[in-house]
Amino acid sequence: MAVTMNQDLCRERAAASFNPELLTHILDGSPEKTRRRREIENLILNDPDFQHEDLNFLSRSQRYEVAVRKSATMVKKIREFGISDPDEIMWFKKLHMSNFPEPVGLNFSMFIPTLLNQGTTAQQEKWLLSSKGLEIIGTYTQTELGHGTHLRGLETTATYDPKTQEFILNSPTVTSIKWWPGGLGKTSNHAIVLAQLYTKGKCYGLHAFIVPIREIGTHKPLPGITVGDIGPKFGYDEVDNGYLKMDHYRIPRENMLMKHAQVKPDGTYVKPMSNKLTYGTMVFIRSVLVGEAARCLAKACTIAIRYSAVRHQSEIKPGEPEPQILDFQTQQYKLFPLLATAYAFHFVGDYMKETYHRINEDIGHGDLSELPELHALSAGLKAFTSWTANAAIEACRMACGGHGYSHCSGLPNIYVTFTPTCTFEGENTVMMLQTARFLMKSYDQVHSGKLVCGMVSYLNDLQSQRIQPQQVAVWPAGVDINSPDSLTEAYKLRAARLVEMAATNLQTEVSHRKSKEVAWNLTSVDLVRASEAHCHYVVVKLFSEQLLKIQDRSVQAVLRNLCLLYALYGISQKAGDFLQESILTDSQITQVHQCIKELLTVIRPDAVALVDAFDFRDASLGSVLGRYDGNVYENLFEWAKTSPLNKAEVHESYYKHLKPLQSKL
């Protein structure tokens, strides 16, 4: 049966100024990648094994079981379809698991990458193939009941016994119980455990160990292991986040990951070439999370913008038909800057992925020079993008009015699944402070007469700016608010000034005879502001640089409008910084606000085409409101009718509780 398209969406698509397909190719990386991604998605959509019930109507235990079943099917199908490229596996998983996390997720995102980054060739030969096929199901246990982001505070111990050539793993306190790792509760049979290494009576800090936790075959916990699920959470119902308590549990010496640091059979500790080499997995996952922020925000924008084109409400001119709510300037102001942000974060995610792979090759050749900046950038951008996307997804939900609150909109699921990103792989404030540490080091370098390179090279200009008193600087007149390059310069100057301010305030606190640590805490609000300004500059810079790579004029024009909106909206939200630092004048800020309103009008005809370019299948969006065909209301009614509460015309609770009460009245 042919699907009739909603007429509003047909008109929107016909009115677009560009071909969304060309933009999809840019987002995917090439027309060939788009073709291949769709081919893989069609394998899933046309396979009866992938059809499943609506998870919104299932209990937690049922959702977990469906997720485990889908994970097992997925591994079989990836083998069957001969998919081996990492990007292709990711496309496969994203659509197959829809918007929901998977219990075996950490096996692929943390266990295997850590094994590759920190395991010797022999260790990889022993565990890698089994973990790819899910004979070994691994998780990654770092966080404890008492400590998360502060790694040095972790209490789990691994004490080497040279007599038996074993490590004894122990959870000495209640706060040392491993807590939160995904898939730990009921799914995994192995864990990479981070523990404080003790050998020859000395502690050498955190190291990674491969620890069997359940018996292969029976799946029962091994003696000395206490493991289970931590209970219901805000979201992630499909995942068995777990706890792990070890009681003097012995593993062979060979189970310590020894690519970098080693413990010899006699207990001698061999330290790694660089302590920073173990950052690999963390940097990788944070780079991935930047892309995930873009993807989840793009989904939320797709739902909210399509629905806003279908929904008619109220009136702009009395007596005329109800307009689409996307015609209200306030709705455009809510949604279009978020759409621009989704595009900005997509390009930043691509940059992070490319940079990670490039620097990883350098590390392979013994060149660690760029690692500190990559570590700082991945920490800061992970925080910046996840905080922004988190608030933006919720803004999209509220922009959908009452229906946005229903699970049928897909937005509550996107939100509760994404929001833990602000905490895991490094709590965001702590991540911003790590970036700040790098910024302060770079500032000190410049101050002592050395040049810095990379994304912080703007600090080299601080000396020359100081020669000219701020009041007579020629800068303000030089900002062209219609030029992405000029706006990038404005953001660069804001970052430089806020870094300088944080450094000066830190120095002032130190000079009051405070220890560096106390001074750091007393300046930490300024330090986070500096990091945020640095990350904001990087995002604007990367977005504007992306424009130069685009050949098609119409696509370039529409992306240029989004880039301008992203940069100008950011200035409007942080106007105080730009005014206080004399980067922009009062009249320029007024112009910024006016320009934003003009851009909303310019972007309006392209809004639906811009979300279509993300190319999410309906199965991936999981939203009645965001359907490609726009047939929202009839499907909303059909969806509601399938609620388990509607199985019986009269619910049993009526006979149990209400009828007896009514008969007594």
Side-chain angles (χ1 to χ4, degrees), residues 27 290-291 293-299 301 305 333-349 384-393 396 491 536 539-540 543 559 561-570 573 603 610 614:
L27 294 173
V290 174
R295 184 187 161 77
C296 292
L297 179 52
K299 281 186 175 181
C301 288
I305 286 172
Y333 187 70
K334 283 176 198 173
L335 295 176
F336 294 175
L338 307 185
L339 176 61
T341 303
Y343 272 93
F345 287 1
H346 178 91
F347 297 129
V348 174
F384 183 80
T385 57
S386 59
W387 264 334
T388 308
N390 190 57
I393 293 163
C396 287
Y491 272 91
H536 211 155
V539 176
V540 172
F543 198 169
L559 278 181
N561 290 332
L562 285 181
C563 182
L564 283 172
L565 181 61
Y566 178 76
L568 293 170
Y569 183 76
Q573 300 301 294
I603 291 165
L610 280 164
F614 291 130

Side-chain angles (χ1 to χ4, degrees), residues 33 40 52 137 142-143 155 168 189 194 227 292 303 351 364 418 423 436 446 452 456 483 516 518 534 582:
K33 281 189 175 172
I40 286 168
H52 65 87
I137 305 167
Q142 178 172 298
T143 301
E155 300 173 86
I168 304 161
N189 54 26
L194 263 75
V227 65
E292 198 54 25
I303 295 165
Y351 169 83
F418 181 75
T423 310
V446 170
V452 288
V456 288
S483 155
K516 273 189 181 160
V518 171
H534 174 69
S582 304

Side-chain angles (χ1 to χ4, degrees), residues 3 58 72 97 108 120 199 297 343 362 369 383 417-418 429 504 606:
V3 177
L58 302 182
M97 297 309 289
F108 298 106
T120 61
T199 180
L297 179 52
Y343 272 93
D362 294 346
S369 60
T417 303
F418 181 75
T429 304
T504 308
D606 287 322

Side-chain angles (χ1 to χ4, degrees), residues 316-489:
I316 293 174
K317 290 181 188 168
E320 288 198 357
E322 289 186 306
Q324 296 158 281
I325 59 173
L326 200 54
D327 286 336
F328 289 99
Q329 190 184 61
T330 48
Q331 189 75 348
Q332 296 167 14
Y333 187 70
K334 283 176 198 173
L335 295 176
F336 294 175
L338 307 185
L339 176 61
T341 303
Y343 272 93
F345 287 1
H346 178 91
F347 297 129
V348 174
D350 281 353
Y351 169 83
M352 286 304 294
K353 207 164 93 175
E354 286 159 24
T355 307
Y356 169 77
H357 288 304
R358 179 175 60 75
I359 292 178
N360 224 23
E361 273 184 35
D362 294 346
I363 292 167
H365 301 131
D367 175 7
L368 307 179
S369 60
E370 288 190 72
L371 194 57
E373 175 166 25
L374 177 64
H375 183 250
L377 198 58
S378 67
L381 286 173
K382 178 264 179 186
F384 183 80
T385 57
S386 59
W387 264 334
T388 308
N390 190 57
I393 293 163
E394 176 66 350
C396 287
R397 184 191 68 76
M398 289 196 279
C400 291
H403 294 322
Y405 190 67
S406 166
H407 269 303
C408 77
S409 74
L411 290 162
N413 280 325
I414 294 171
Y415 182 79
V416 297
T417 303
F418 181 75
T419 195
T421 309
C422 296
T423 310
F424 63 48
E425 303 313 322
E427 193 279 328
N428 279 359
T429 304
V430 179
M431 292 298 93
M432 281 298 196
L433 288 168
Q434 280 190 13
T435 304
R437 213 168 276 285
F438 176 74
L439 292 173
M440 292 303 103
K441 273 185 190 161
S442 303
Y443 178 84
D444 289 344
Q445 249 179 287
V446 170
H447 214 61
S448 66
K450 292 181 198 144
L451 289 178
V452 288
C453 55
M455 287 290 185
V456 288
S457 56
Y458 60 82
L459 294 175
N460 296 330
D461 305 336
L462 277 170
Q463 302 289 4
S464 58
Q465 283 162 14
R466 249 187 241 102
I467 297 163
Q468 240 176 352
Q470 250 178 301
Q471 293 80 331
V472 298
V474 291
W475 242 95
V479 178
D480 173 3
I481 63 168
N482 291 306
S483 155
D485 288 347
S486 190
L487 291 169
T488 304
E489 288 299 314

Side-chain angles (χ1 to χ4, degrees), residues 164-432:
T164 57
Q165 294 195 19
E166 291 173 317
F167 285 102
I168 304 161
L169 278 101
N170 195 38
S171 310
T173 60
V174 70
T175 47
S176 72
I177 296 169
K178 294 293 181 187
W179 198 270
W180 276 115
L184 175 62
K186 295 289 167 191
T187 312
S188 300
N189 54 26
H190 281 67
I192 286 178
V193 173
L194 263 75
Q196 303 287 358
L197 165 63
Y198 284 85
T199 180
K200 294 191 171 180
K202 190 178 170 188
C203 178
Y204 287 94
L206 281 185
H207 288 72
F209 301 84
I210 292 200
V211 180
I213 52 175
R214 288 177 181 271
E215 190 179 24
I216 305 276
T218 67
H219 208 60
K220 286 186 174 165
L222 292 160
I225 295 287
T226 306
V227 65
D229 175 79
I230 64 168
K233 308 160 295 273
F234 189 28
Y236 264 64
D237 280 350
E238 301 72 28
V239 174
D240 52 324
N241 295 80
Y243 58 77
L244 170 67
K245 186 174 186 296
M246 294 169 290
D247 183 7
H248 298 90
Y249 181 73
R250 288 175 173 266
I251 57 168
R253 182 184 70 91
E254 294 75 26
N255 283 33
M256 172 181 160
L257 291 180
M258 294 210 208
K259 185 176 184 177
H260 304 306
Q262 292 170 25
V263 170
K264 297 286 186 194
D266 69 351
T268 304
Y269 179 75
V270 181
K271 67 178 192 185
M273 179 172 72
S274 161
N275 290 333
K276 294 187 170 64
L277 286 169
T278 51
Y279 288 171
T281 309
M282 275 298 189
V283 170
F284 169 73
I285 202 97
R286 285 172 193 159
S287 304
V288 169
L289 291 176
V290 174
E292 198 54 25
R295 184 187 161 77
C296 292
L297 179 52
K299 281 186 175 181
C301 288
T302 302
I303 295 165
I305 286 172
R306 281 182 185 163
Y307 177 62
S308 298
V310 168
R311 178 86 166 169
H312 289 254
Q313 200 80 180
S314 194
E315 57 184 20
I316 293 174
K317 290 181 188 168
E320 288 198 357
E322 289 186 306
Q324 296 158 281
I325 59 173
L326 200 54
D327 286 336
F328 289 99
Q329 190 184 61
T330 48
Q331 189 75 348
Q332 296 167 14
Y333 187 70
K334 283 176 198 173
L335 295 176
F336 294 175
L338 307 185
L339 176 61
T341 303
Y343 272 93
F345 287 1
H346 178 91
F347 297 129
V348 174
D350 281 353
Y351 169 83
M352 286 304 294
K353 207 164 93 175
E354 286 159 24
T355 307
Y356 169 77
H357 288 304
R358 179 175 60 75
I359 292 178
N360 224 23
E361 273 184 35
D362 294 346
I363 292 167
H365 301 131
D367 175 7
L368 307 179
S369 60
E370 288 190 72
L371 194 57
E373 175 166 25
L374 177 64
H375 183 250
L377 198 58
S378 67
L381 286 173
K382 178 264 179 186
F384 183 80
T385 57
S386 59
W387 264 334
T388 308
N390 190 57
I393 293 163
E394 176 66 350
C396 287
R397 184 191 68 76
M398 289 196 279
C400 291
H403 294 322
Y405 190 67
S406 166
H407 269 303
C408 77
S409 74
L411 290 162
N413 280 325
I414 294 171
Y415 182 79
V416 297
T417 303
F418 181 75
T419 195
T421 309
C422 296
T423 310
F424 63 48
E425 303 313 322
E427 193 279 328
N428 279 359
T429 304
V430 179
M431 292 298 93
M432 281 298 196

